[in-house]
Amino acid sequence: MSRLLLRRLPTRALVHRPSHAVRTYASSTPAVPQFNWEDPLGSRNLLTEEELAISETAERYCQEHLLPRVLQAYRDEHYDPKILQEMGELGLLGATINGYGCAGVSTVAGALITRAVERVDSGYRSSMSVQSSLVMGAINDFGSAEQKDKYLPAMAKGKIIGAFGLTEPNHGSDPGSMEAVAREHPQKKGYYLLKGSKTWITNSPIADVLVVWAKLQETGKIRGFLVDRKQCPAGTLETPAIKNKTGLRASITGMIHLEDCPVPKENMFPDIEGLKGPFTCLNSARYGIALGVIGALEDCIARARAYALERKQFKGNPLAKYQLIQKKLADATTDAAYGTLAAIQVGRLKDEGKATPEMISMIKRQNCDRALHNARVLQEIFGGNAVSDEYMIGRHVANLYVTQTYEGQSDIHSLILGRAITGVQAFV
Amino acid sequence: MSRLLLRRLPTRALVHRPSHAVRTYASSTPAVPQFNWEDPLGSRNLLTEEELAISETAERYCQEHLLPRVLQAYRDEHYDPKILQEMGELGLLGATINGYGCAGVSTVAGALITRAVERVDSGYRSSMSVQSSLVMGAINDFGSAEQKDKYLPAMAKGKIIGAFGLTEPNHGSDPGSMEAVAREHPQKKGYYLLKGSKTWITNSPIADVLVVWAKLQETGKIRGFLVDRKQCPAGTLETPAIKNKTGLRASITGMIHLEDCPVPKENMFPDIEGLKGPFTCLNSARYGIALGVIGALEDCIARARAYALERKQFKGNPLAKYQLIQKKLADATTDAAYGTLAAIQVGRLKDEGKATPEMISMIKRQNCDRALHNARVLQEIFGGNAVSDEYMIGRHVANLYVTQTYEGQSDIHSLILGRAITGVQAFV
Amino acid sequence: MSRLLLRRLPTRALVHRPSHAVRTYASSTPAVPQFNWEDPLGSRNLLTEEELAISETAERYCQEHLLPRVLQAYRDEHYDPKILQEMGELGLLGATINGYGCAGVSTVAGALITRAVERVDSGYRSSMSVQSSLVMGAINDFGSAEQKDKYLPAMAKGKIIGAFGLTEPNHGSDPGSMEAVAREHPQKKGYYLLKGSKTWITNSPIADVLVVWAKLQETGKIRGFLVDRKQCPAGTLETPAIKNKTGLRASITGMIHLEDCPVPKENMFPDIEGLKGPFTCLNSARYGIALGVIGALEDCIARARAYALERKQFKGNPLAKYQLIQKKLADATTDAAYGTLAAIQVGRLKDEGKATPEMISMIKRQNCDRALHNARVLQEIFGGNAVSDEYMIGRHVANLYVTQTYEGQSDIHSLILGRAITGVQAFV
Amino acid sequence: MSRLLLRRLPTRALVHRPSHAVRTYASSTPAVPQFNWEDPLGSRNLLTEEELAISETAERYCQEHLLPRVLQAYRDEHYDPKILQEMGELGLLGATINGYGCAGVSTVAGALITRAVERVDSGYRSSMSVQSSLVMGAINDFGSAEQKDKYLPAMAKGKIIGAFGLTEPNHGSDPGSMEAVAREHPQKKGYYLLKGSKTWITNSPIADVLVVWAKLQETGKIRGFLVDRKQCPAGTLETPAIKNKTGLRASITGMIHLEDCPVPKENMFPDIEGLKGPFTCLNSARYGIALGVIGALEDCIARARAYALERKQFKGNPLAKYQLIQKKLADATTDAAYGTLAAIQVGRLKDEGKATPEMISMIKRQNCDRALHNARVLQEIFGGNAVSDEYMIGRHVANLYVTQTYEGQSDIHSLILGRAITGVQAFV
């Protein structure tokens, strides 16, 4: 299945590592075990050959094709939709889905892809997560056979771009209170009219198809709709971009305004009702974030380590020689290693049908929190130089704040866990 | 003395609070004491009438004239030099200096001005600190009578802009290893030739006069020079701006390249030698930062509180009702209140000749660290919305990282304190 | 007024510092200001001559007379009631009260005494706080003239020991729900019958007089009663000690069981009703704790510093030379210095009638939290040796946990502050 | 192999859970996966049937036979040597050793035993770790065939008690500087004379055989000796207990004083030289600690959760309903879950010959740090009640401080990791 993905690999012998690479990916294991700061607790040992190969493919693409353009993209707040096509060509989109031209790889393999992308930029990863986990995932899990056939193959190739409209301006953490509504079209049979606003929607300004969750007026229950931009009459769908963001600037984010937008009934997900639908999708996306942010953290570690070894202060000693610096590096690598193991474990359980949403809350919360915290601490190693965006770490720090916040702000996940632990809810 | 400053006040009766103000400055004390979240431990009680008036003048100017333009300036990475002229007209520049058209106010009053400016933006405050503490302060403390007469009055009015060149690319935390050098001009008697590079120099691209510290070749001792841009032959002084900064974008920062730049001997500070000169200036600037960052933190508190009261989630409760939110606010206000008291105390001691540099290390370190930490925590209250720069807090967070880093990175101050406490140095 | 207190001083010339002292109290100020790790931000500068003298008296007594016995007392969980008599003789009890043989010193002076005592042990300070702030304070604030005349002079001398019964087994943080009740004696006119249980009551097993708060059955309002042990019929008052405590073992703690204990009406505080009574007393006690815990923290700093200078590891370097050690010391001294200034400020405001309970919540919470946190971090400097109780720091760590917990657990004060900041309560 | 161990199980049907148990060990998995706060990330899924059985045997013994006596033992600072015999009967000692009557179980299984013991008390676990990992491990790894035959079978049964003498009074973190020395006996051929002192030696006062590391005078190299108490002439071996400990009071700790103690050459480990010997043993012990402390942390979680559900404050709500409480529980369970996975991973790598000492430094450091931190935070849930030792959590908090400190203080492990990450050492 994932041989598809492997076949698309550029010939390895031809590939040279880019000069800005700060991380190596040796695949041979030495006879006497040696500590590897890039994988301190030997998580590679838990991966299959196939997973290792997928990871390497994704890392190589990201380092060679994404890294060189991210700095300018972030400065300009510009997202190039061709990136999704490139990813599609490599088989990186919807990779855990079986069929429809998707690679059908393990949950862990899917997350190794997100980690590779997020090692470059959380914004690039966000765009891919929306495409893969939220939209393709929703269609695969809840779509009709026709919906799947229509959208999945083209989305897998990155030729159709998706967005996922759940969050509303007044209900960030409490989607159950959403105001978007779908009512029977008073004239046009077989159609609903959708009305409402969604915000902070990754990809929305460039999306071809938008999964929009809204309450069906007749039942009051939340249902999912595939809003296909080219079917929408002028003025019924607006997707303005949100500009001047303080993070994730290499991705594109916007709103969705639906003003009595007619959507044919066959574009509604047939069976799924209530919050179960969006939460299932979020669950997959959150899982990908949990390992994804480790990529960003690992990039911070690699850059901070390289800087600490190169930069000399006080009698010509490298910063790496100072205890206060070493502690920062030790703490960060520990959290990266622990977070990796936890994510792999939950991925395995997911594939065995043994994972629960609370497990994913736990790893999403913890890995985002620790990635952000450590990225900030590692930034200190650069001193004033971190103010130059060319050292890259400031971008990760700004991005990771967002990852801590979206798809369940950290405190919300604390309360989800608290409820699971105690049986008592404290949302008030 | 500071009546000068007070006279320049716009008539208070005519002033209306701008609608975006989130902080009030009531000056009457109620009969029964009431807790005031804007000044939890009653620090106003420690201020003189004059200091309160100066603070109010500065706050008013900043809220009315700086706040409305900061968002765009930060986006565009643009600093308007007219700001220094406006500050000069109000008497806010070099305010603690006696004579030369300066207000001659107390150390605490000077810091209340920095707090007011930094409540809007740390970049604006940085520009002002360089002008007031680093450059005017250096000239006032170490300049000859002629130097003072020539520069101070015009600088006090903001008509001459200053920059302070100490930090070099390879010696951020260890200025004693500087490489910039001044040697006797081989042909032109009475002149030195300056050679070397400085970096991360606030105001350098727009500065008219640059205090440059360099080692005198004949003695190996560090001396200070007033490099007057209009006296420098073409090609001997370059001050390129550093762009694409991740913080302090509303200020302008650059490098200083001196390529055998001829400087007349009378532009050298006559007596001061070694690191004592720059460290004295840094000491004053650091003091201003210590109270300045509290302004930024207080603005974060005010904005987070307002947001928490307005934003409703889960059954229509304001965020302010949630325990996890209240704790964040309680922690932040505590640190703001403590930091304010500590800064006032050191200011008083400074005026009494009882302050030591280590005291200033302590309050600079602690207040910057706590301002940054709490700003980040308060940012969480905004959830995903903080990604919009219009909520302002993301800018403070990015700025405060820089304040923690410059004029002594936090860890360096830890080691300065550690040395003072134990008598043992641990820099190596 | 406090000359009383000063007169009781032993002749200073005769006093030698005990060999275990790790702190010095130089009173002369050097010409050039020098950093003093024992008072990093020059708080002495804020004290009057009288306050400095009182502080020195108290410190001397504590170092000479309490320190030598605390280790054994803590091991044995033994409290010697003579300590209160010794304190009484020096004028240290109820020192802020005017008249009744009390010293009538400033609020700050009173807290300097608690700091001196707590530098030795939080348990000793607790016992004194109960006597001074909770019981003598309650009688002074709310007692009738007869009650004051009867109890205050003897309590000031430590000849009558007091306890303060507010907390109940089921209502630790919510005294408003107390179950203790006072009803009219059905037979004996002019008497109430008290019934209920109080727990975690410092001094209760040895107390002669117990202030007990109970709801008056007829009104449902909380009232205060002076339960005089020698007036209680057998079986109506039991005050069993709580043994095997994990902290504050040098103080004695117990329960109060009242089983229809008859108390004459004239032993009820005449006017005060509701929670205002106990909260006023707690407010004073909390204030004393806020500066008291700084004493314990300062002792930890002094001991850790001395250990770090003496203990050598790796090539004979003292621990004090290691960056990770220096940072711990820098952090702790900063918090001690900040906490001292905040406590002095609130003390001054209290004497001016400008303090609010929330201010005291703030400094009680913050100083206890920081004292505990830093004590734990400083303990790490001792490595395994801290397991020996002779290094003293383990005792402080265990004690400071209790101070964080009693008279308002830290989180409760967070919510008190949160309510004051936002106007919204989050206790439920 | 470990059937030995399994055979010794009491019939399960006869076993009733003790009433003080706060943790359940359900072995059936529900059809729909459910979140289990006792094993949030499903680590049981990684264990073999045998490992689960061993874990259950150990947990059962500990809850039934150790838990009932620990409180009094801790109060009295008393260690009952019969405990090691009981453990020996169940096959819990030296369980990872093959042969000599040992169970020969996996590294992970061995650590599951330490976790079970430490769930009751870190002191009990320490005593067992010394016996199993440090002494039996040393003999098994480095002993001659005669040494193994002589000691291992009896030690496996707990009939011979061992101690491990490495740490010296002046060289806690730097054993390479040890002063203990072994010189050829001047008269008695085939004997060495050992001289030196060791401190903080668990089990030393009751040990029958003490592994003592000393420098061989002739080579200056560190060698290991089996000092057999009954062979030592009077006055040449003293092992006084260290009393009045602030933690680990349920274990016995002492010193070792060797005053020209004659030891036959055949009691020296034949081949091992230098620090490699003791460090190999420490490595195994540290591994056991890494999972062991999770047991203590899990007990804190279980007790805090039970308390939070039972204790009601403010309108009758259980503490468990408060957000600040839920966050504490969520944080602690996350760290316990992550720490468990990391320890299992390193155990697997160890059995595959792929583990490095730095991996063990990482998990020992992190798990001890997090166990201690979270235990302290969970303690806050008990408020003042935690001061009663009957709530058990104060004991865990005190114990966990010690685990953070011994076998490599946390900061030392930070520097070991820092060195491994950067290639630069920062011990000096």
Side-chain angles (χ1 to χ4, degrees), chain A residues 75 169-170 172-173 200 244-246 311 313-314 322 328 376 379 383-387 389 401 405 411 427-428, chain B residues 75 169-170 172-173 200 244-246 311 313 317 322 328 376 379 383-387 389 401 405 411 427:
Chain A
R75 285 177 184 168
N170 296 319
S173 296
W200 294 115
N244 297 304
K245 290 186 292 177
T246 64
R311 177 84 173 174
Q313 294 285 293
F314 298 116
Y322 299 108
K328 295 181 215 286
R376 285 168 169 171
Q379 190 183 23
N385 282 338
V387 180
D389 67 354
Y401 169 75
T405 297
D411 284 345
F427 292 94
V428 178
Chain B
R75 287 176 182 169
N170 295 319
S173 295
W200 293 116
N244 297 305
K245 288 185 294 176
T246 65
R311 177 85 174 173
Q313 293 287 291
N317 284 319
Y322 299 108
K328 294 181 215 287
R376 286 168 168 171
Q379 190 183 22
N385 282 338
V387 180
D389 67 353
Y401 168 74
T405 298
D411 284 345
F427 290 93

Side-chain angles (χ1 to χ4, degrees), chain C residues 75 169-170 172-173 200 244-246 311 313-314 322 328 376 379 383-387 389 401 405 411 427, chain D residues 75 169-170 172-173 200 244-246 311 313-314 322 328 376 379 383-387 389 401 405 411 427:
Chain C
R75 287 175 182 169
N170 296 320
S173 295
W200 293 115
N244 297 306
K245 288 185 295 178
T246 65
R311 178 83 173 175
Q313 294 285 291
F314 299 115
Y322 299 108
K328 295 181 214 286
R376 286 168 168 170
Q379 190 183 22
N385 281 338
V387 181
D389 68 353
Y401 168 75
T405 298
D411 284 344
F427 290 93
Chain D
R75 286 176 183 169
N170 295 320
S173 295
W200 294 116
N244 297 305
K245 289 186 293 178
T246 65
R311 177 83 173 175
Q313 294 285 292
F314 298 115
Y322 298 107
K328 295 181 214 286
R376 286 168 169 170
Q379 190 182 23
N385 281 338
V387 181
D389 67 354
Y401 168 75
T405 298
D411 284 343
F427 291 94

Side-chain angles (χ1 to χ4, degrees), chain D residues 34-340:
Chain D
Q34 301 227 328
F35 181 78
N36 175 7
W37 64 269
E38 292 177 300
D39 184 19
L41 296 181
S43 69
R44 289 173 63 93
N45 209 51
L46 297 170
L47 304 181
T48 65
E49 282 302 309
E50 184 179 278
E51 286 166 343
L52 288 168
I54 291 166
S55 178
E56 189 141 348
T57 301
E59 296 283 357
R60 197 177 298 269
Y61 162 71
C62 295
Q63 294 295 313
E64 291 174 12
H65 297 285
L66 291 183
L67 184 56
R69 42 185 160 170
V70 66
L71 188 59
Q72 198 59 45
Y74 193 89
R75 286 176 183 169
D76 299 344
E77 223 171 355
H78 171 73
Y79 180 72
D80 181 354
K82 269 188 296 183
I83 288 171
L84 283 174
Q85 287 186 40
E86 294 171 13
M87 291 177 169
E89 278 164 36
L90 278 172
L92 303 178
L93 300 180
T96 60
I97 294 173
N98 275 300
Y100 307 100
C102 298
V105 301
S106 70
T107 292
V108 167
L112 293 171
I113 298 172
T114 66
R115 185 176 70 174
V117 178
E118 194 147 3
R119 195 181 308 284
V120 175
D121 192 79
S122 302
Y124 286 157
R125 200 267 306 137
S126 295
S127 174
M128 187 191 71
S129 290
V130 166
Q131 179 83 354
S132 295
S133 301
L134 293 182
V135 182
M136 294 177 71
I139 295 170
N140 188 56
D141 286 350
F142 307 121
S144 63
E146 293 74 20
Q147 290 168 354
K148 292 184 196 184
D149 287 336
K150 180 171 177 190
Y151 292 108
L152 288 179
M155 294 193 77
K157 292 204 166 58
K159 290 185 177 165
I160 288 182
I161 297 180
F164 186 83
L166 176 65
T167 302
E168 299 193 352
N170 295 320
H171 308 284
S173 295
D174 181 20
S177 302
M178 70 170 56
E179 298 169 35
V181 71
R183 60 186 172 107
E184 298 258 0
H185 197 298
Q187 291 93 30
K188 208 166 167 186
K189 209 172 147 50
Y191 273 79
Y192 289 108
L193 287 179
L194 265 65
K195 188 174 168 62
S197 287
K198 305 287 180 177
T199 195
W200 294 116
I201 309 302
T202 300
N203 291 352
S204 87
I206 59 170
D208 303 297
V209 59
L210 304 98
V211 172
V212 171
W213 302 91
K215 283 185 179 157
L216 203 58
Q217 200 175 42
E218 33 188 311
T219 64
K221 297 264 175 69
I222 293 169
R223 301 298 296 259
F225 299 85
L226 289 163
V227 178
D228 199 320
R229 188 187 294 269
K230 64 180 186 300
Q231 298 175 343
C232 300
T236 63
L237 171 68
E238 302 287 340
T239 55
I242 299 173
K243 284 296 184 186
N244 297 305
K245 289 186 293 178
T246 65
L248 289 198
R249 292 168 60 95
S251 70
I252 185 162
T253 313
M255 305 188 77
I256 301 174
H257 296 302
L258 292 156
E259 189 54 47
D260 283 342
C261 180
V263 176
K265 288 195 175 181
E266 61 263 26
N267 280 23
M268 186 170 76
F269 289 142
D271 300 315
I272 191 78
E273 253 187 6
L275 283 169
K276 187 173 185 302
F279 279 9
T280 301
C281 309
L282 283 175
N283 220 30
S284 292
R286 283 170 183 164
Y287 177 72
I289 294 171
L291 195 52
V293 293
I294 301 294
L297 172 55
E298 287 176 341
D299 195 53
C300 293
I301 293 170
R303 292 181 187 281
R305 176 182 174 276
Y307 184 86
L309 283 167
E310 190 186 292
R311 177 83 173 175
K312 295 182 174 55
Q313 294 285 292
F314 298 115
K315 302 195 189 167
N317 284 319
L319 295 186
K321 192 173 173 52
Y322 298 107
Q323 294 187 339
L324 295 174
I325 301 286
Q326 291 206 350
K327 180 156 182 10
K328 295 181 214 286
L329 290 166
D331 290 345
T333 52
T334 302
D335 278 328
Y338 273 53
T340 300

Side-chain angles (χ1 to χ4, degrees), chain C residues 13-36:
Chain C
L14 297 179
V15 177
H16 300 294
R17 292 203 61 77
S19 63
H20 44 257
V22 285
R23 185 174 166 97
T24 58
Y25 300 93
S27 52
S28 64
T29 311
V32 176
Q34 303 227 327
F35 182 78
N36 175 7

Side-chain angles (χ1 to χ4, degrees), chain A residues 228-249:
Chain A
D228 199 320
R229 188 188 294 267
K230 66 180 185 299
Q231 299 175 343
C232 300
T236 63
L237 170 69
E238 302 287 341
T239 55
I242 300 173
K243 284 297 184 186
N244 297 304
K245 290 186 292 177
T246 64
L248 290 198
R249 292 168 60 94

Side-chain angles (χ1 to χ4, degrees), chain A residues 240-386:
Chain A
I242 300 173
K243 284 297 184 186
N244 297 304
K245 290 186 292 177
T246 64
L248 290 198
R249 292 168 60 94
S251 70
I252 185 162
T253 313
M255 304 188 77
I256 302 174
H257 296 302
L258 293 155
E259 190 54 46
D260 283 342
C261 180
V263 176
K265 288 197 175 180
E266 61 264 26
N267 280 22
M268 186 169 75
F269 289 143
D271 299 315
I272 190 78
E273 254 188 5
L275 282 169
K276 188 173 185 302
F279 279 9
T280 301
C281 308
L282 283 175
N283 221 30
S284 291
R286 283 169 184 164
Y287 176 72
I289 296 171
L291 194 53
V293 293
I294 300 295
L297 173 55
E298 286 176 342
D299 194 52
C300 294
I301 293 170
R303 292 181 187 282
R305 176 182 173 275
Y307 184 86
L309 283 167
E310 189 185 293
R311 177 84 173 174
K312 294 182 174 54
Q313 294 285 293
F314 298 116
K315 300 194 191 167
N317 284 318
L319 295 186
K321 192 173 173 51
Y322 299 108
Q323 294 187 338
L324 295 173
I325 302 286
Q326 292 207 350
K327 181 157 183 4
K328 295 181 215 286
L329 289 167
D331 289 345
T333 52
T334 302
D335 278 328
Y338 273 53
T340 301
L341 294 177
I344 291 174
Q345 164 75 353
V346 173
R348 297 295 181 227
L349 293 175
K350 198 159 185 285
D351 284 346
E352 296 177 34
K354 294 178 180 165
T356 72
E358 293 86 357
M359 287 180 180
I360 292 174
S361 281
M362 182 174 275
I363 62 172
K364 194 275 177 186
R365 182 184 81 120
Q366 179 77 351
N367 288 7
C368 289
D369 283 1
R370 300 315 297 165
L372 174 59
H373 173 79
N374 283 293
R376 285 168 169 171
V377 171
L378 292 168
Q379 190 183 23
E380 296 171 14
I381 294 178
F382 294 80
N385 282 338

Side-chain angles (χ1 to χ4, degrees), chain D residues 337-372:
Chain D
Y338 273 53
T340 300
L341 294 178
I344 291 173
Q345 164 75 351
V346 175
R348 297 296 181 226
L349 293 175
K350 198 160 185 284
D351 284 347
E352 295 177 33
K354 295 179 182 164
T356 72
E358 293 86 357
M359 288 179 180
I360 292 174
S361 280
M362 181 175 276
I363 62 172
K364 193 275 176 185
R365 181 184 81 120
Q366 179 76 352
N367 288 7
C368 289
D369 283 0
R370 301 315 298 165
L372 174 59

